[in-house]
Amino acid sequence: MKIFIDGQYYDENTAKVSVFDHGLLYGDGVFEGIRAYHGRVFRLKEHIDRLFFSAKAILLSPPMTNEAICEAVLATCRENNLRDGYIRLVVTRGVGTLGLNPNRCSKPSVIVIADKIQLYPQEMYEHGMAIVTVPTVRNLHSALNPAIKSLNYLNNILAKIEANNAGVEEAIMLNSEGFVAECTGDNIFIVRGNELLTPPLAAGALYGITRGVVLDLARDLGLRVGEPNLTRYDVFNADECFLTGTGAELIPVTKVDGRVIGTGEPGPQTRKLTELYHALTKTSGAPIFG
Ligand code: PMP
């Protein structure tokens, strides 16, 4: 595998960053998880735009333009002959001193890794997954805004550990007010009658690219789409529940905190939206090979 670091390609075992990079020392940096399907990078522009928004929020200026980073992602896929896979794009603050001060960092680094991913077992896509609510609440906007896809993912990792300890793969994170925010690496949706609902971004969710695509698909399907505050009660009593993410795509949830959701099997709207999502990934995206 060839890994892009600051304009050059390195083999897996020589692709290294400095121990003085503030991305390592402090989680100071931003990232994206992007997916390629059938020789096209899905929603590339949206991912790069979000990367730049995250970077702006932490006053980090990527050392390449938006267009140059798009091209680096496509070129790294080409270099690895990758048609289907998962791309991790990272911008770190760069090499600095042992103090926090980002102004001491000389130049941000851009890293692109083009690899494969299988987030959840196939069985869960067919029959649904069980999730739980965990005690770790989502970061406050006023502390570390969850909209920033930063290299500091400890809030999510702690929740993920709690999910694993409870014997499940994903967890609902509530915000400090007790409303449902999202999961550790996925956005959450419920279906109620002909309504598709997902927590508002202000509840503490990432501006999920898959979330946006699914909301558009649902509108096209004629579902009523809403982004109200949701409580655990709303989730327990939903007809259907599913999660979305670039890695996860759409995955049905059939049990939450021991409560069976709907019929206990993936519901019809979840199946329909999954089908439409897969159809879209087959036909849309930035071509890797021109
Ligand atoms: N929430 C969190 C916390 C995430 O890390 C992610 C990405 N893995 C998502 C939601 C889903 O976002 P996207 O659809 O853009 O991948």
Side-chain angles (χ1 to χ4, degrees), residues 199-218:
L201 298 168
L206 186 79
Y207 290 38
I209 309 285
T210 322
R211 177 186 184 275
V213 172
V214 167
L215 288 172
D216 287 344
L217 291 173

Side-chain angles (χ1 to χ4, degrees), residues 50 138 149 153 156 182 184-187 206 208-210 245-246:
R50 185 173 66 184
R138 201 80 183 92
K149 204 163 165 61
Y153 246 49
N156 311 53
E182 61 173 343
T184 71
D186 302 306
N187 291 108
L206 186 79
I209 309 285
T210 322
T246 298

Side-chain angles (χ1 to χ4, degrees):
M1 187 198 305
K2 297 283 182 200
I3 293 154
F4 174 101
I5 307 178
D6 298 329
Q8 301 221 35
Y9 293 101
Y10 298 85
D11 287 325
E12 241 170 289
N13 49 359
T14 54
K16 302 228 161 75
V17 290
S18 163
V19 294
F20 292 99
D21 192 310
H22 280 208
L24 174 73
L25 287 174
Y26 298 116
D28 187 354
V30 294
F31 77 101
E32 279 298 318
I34 311 171
R35 195 111 173 206
Y37 296 93
H38 311 287
R40 293 167 185 272
V41 178
F42 190 61
R43 293 296 188 265
L44 178 59
K45 185 179 176 337
E46 287 81 349
H47 280 285
I48 307 302
D49 285 349
R50 185 173 66 184
L51 180 86
F52 273 80
F53 294 144
S54 294
K56 184 164 187 180
I58 68 163
L59 286 126
L60 170 66
S61 302
M64 296 165 71
T65 62
N66 188 309
E67 294 70 30
I69 294 189
C70 282
E71 184 42 42
V73 168
L74 295 168
T76 308
C77 293
R78 275 196 296 277
E79 193 73 20
N80 288 283
N81 206 16
L82 187 104
R83 296 183 60 80
D84 293 272
Y86 181 83
I87 302 136
R88 171 56 48 91
L89 167 61
V90 182
V91 183
T92 73
R93 186 74 70 176
V95 173
T97 58
L98 286 182
L100 283 179
N101 195 345
N103 297 335
R104 299 260 166 81
C105 297
S106 45
K107 187 175 175 238
S109 270
V110 178
I111 300 166
V112 186
I113 309 168
D115 201 356
K116 300 272 172 212
I117 193 171
Q118 164 78 41
L119 216 53
Y120 301 118
Q122 188 53 33
E123 207 266 335
M124 288 187 183
Y125 286 92
E126 282 155 24
H127 297 292
M129 79 193 308
I131 61 174
V132 296
T133 310
V134 290
T136 295
V137 299
R138 201 80 183 92
N139 278 329
L140 292 173
H141 291 109
S142 49
L144 176 57
N145 196 320
I148 302 170
K149 204 163 165 61
S150 86
L151 292 181
N152 193 321
Y153 246 49
L154 260 187
N155 183 226
N156 311 53
I157 290 166
L158 291 176
K160 180 82 170 180
I161 290 168
E162 289 162 351
N164 291 343
N165 286 347
V168 297
E169 299 253 1
E170 246 304 11
I172 292 181
M173 298 182 78
L174 304 178
N175 62 23
S176 59
E177 289 178 276
F179 292 114
V180 174
E182 61 173 343
C183 292
T184 71
D186 302 306
N187 291 108
I188 186 165
F189 284 78
I190 61 171
V191 176
R192 201 162 62 188
N194 72 339
E195 280 184 323
L196 181 72
L197 305 174
T198 190
L201 298 168
L206 186 79
Y207 290 38
I209 309 285
T210 322
R211 177 186 184 275
V213 172
V214 167
L215 288 172
D216 287 344
L217 291 173
R219 282 189 200 99
D220 294 347
L221 263 184
L223 292 173
R224 274 182 45 208
V225 164
E227 301 177 46
N229 267 323
L230 296 174
T231 63
R232 290 169 71 225
Y233 172 94
D234 298 316
V235 179
F236 297 156
N237 292 298
D239 298 325
E240 302 179 31
C241 177
F242 62 86
L243 313 182
T244 64
T246 298
E249 304 175 308
L250 276 79
I251 182 153
V253 171
T254 45
K255 202 181 243 190
V256 179
D257 297 332
R259 281 82 161 177
V260 171
I261 307 302
T263 62
E265 279 294 315
Q269 304 298 357
T270 305
R271 288 195 188 282
K272 186 86 206 150
L273 287 164
T274 304
E275 214 174 279
L276 291 173
Y277 185 77
H278 286 305
L280 195 60
T281 61
K282 285 207 175 92
T283 53
S284 130
I288 293 170
F289 298 97

